[in-house]
Amino acid sequence: PEKAPRMECLDIAGICLPARTVSGDYYDFLPLGAHELGLALGDICGKGISAALLMANLQATLRSNVMNLWRDPKAAEGRAVAEIVERLNSQIYSFTAANKFATFFYALYDDERKTLTYCNAGHNPPLYFNGGHVRRLNAGGTVVGIFADSQYEQETIQGKPGDLFVAYTDGIV
């Protein structure tokens, strides 16, 4: 994204510095109404043009699924984040080679409730700092694109003023 969206109770920043001219690393902000924001972070297995093309496909698939589920009044609000990742996995699996997959992290931030609901699909676990403690955000499942019927879990965190959330790809470590 060219810039981070503004939220009332959350300061947001993001940067992508590819190791080569193009890469399979990806982050995104998906504004969903006045008080909700989707946060995505992923990394395609491999480097270069093929990884970048697959990541562009993953981005389009994610955005389509998020918009469709977010607009669906019948969608189960309590499982929407894990459902997004399950749909993404199924679709990536159906159009990629067996040796291609992505680590992926998706979260939904609610600015009114100050909650972060996330699902981690085999990605480097983001770090959540609060009250002098740190924890790794591991709830989720396996990488996307390997198994057609992978199941995913989600977890909701109640944020407090001063908390810090750091998500990254393997290039940072």
Side-chain angles (χ1 to χ4, degrees), residues 15-79:
I15 188 169
C16 182
L17 302 170
R20 297 181 183 171
T21 306
V22 294
S23 76
D25 293 301
Y26 161 69
Y27 79 95
D28 208 354
F29 305 120
L30 295 87
L32 300 167
H35 304 288
E36 292 181 311
L37 178 68
L39 305 163
L41 182 69
D43 190 3
I44 294 290
C45 173
K47 301 261 184 254
I49 296 289
S50 66
L53 290 171
L54 183 52
M55 188 52 75
N57 206 336
L58 185 141
Q59 177 192 31
T61 303
L62 170 69
R63 285 177 164 263
S64 175
N65 281 313
V66 166
M67 290 301 140
N68 288 335
L69 193 63
W70 188 73
R71 290 180 183 148
D72 182 359
K74 298 175 191 165
E77 182 179 322
R79 254 195 56 74

Side-chain angles (χ1 to χ4, degrees), residues 68-140:
N68 288 335
L69 193 63
W70 188 73
R71 290 180 183 148
D72 182 359
K74 298 175 191 165
E77 182 179 322
R79 254 195 56 74
V81 171
E83 176 70 20
I84 289 291
V85 177
E86 286 175 9
R87 289 181 183 191
L88 182 69
N89 172 71
S90 177
Q91 290 165 328
I92 295 294
Y93 174 83
S94 71
F95 62 73
T96 59
N99 64 341
K100 290 293 186 185
F101 62 90
T103 64
F104 187 72
F105 180 88
Y106 180 69
L108 179 64
Y109 173 72
D110 185 318
D111 208 37
E112 288 185 323
R113 296 178 183 158
K114 295 167 191 60
T115 57
L116 181 77
T117 302
Y118 76 90
C119 178
N120 188 342
H123 196 73
N124 299 86
L127 304 174
Y128 179 66
F129 299 86
N130 75 322
H133 298 93
V134 63
R135 58 184 283 237
R136 295 174 184 272
L137 304 185
N138 289 314

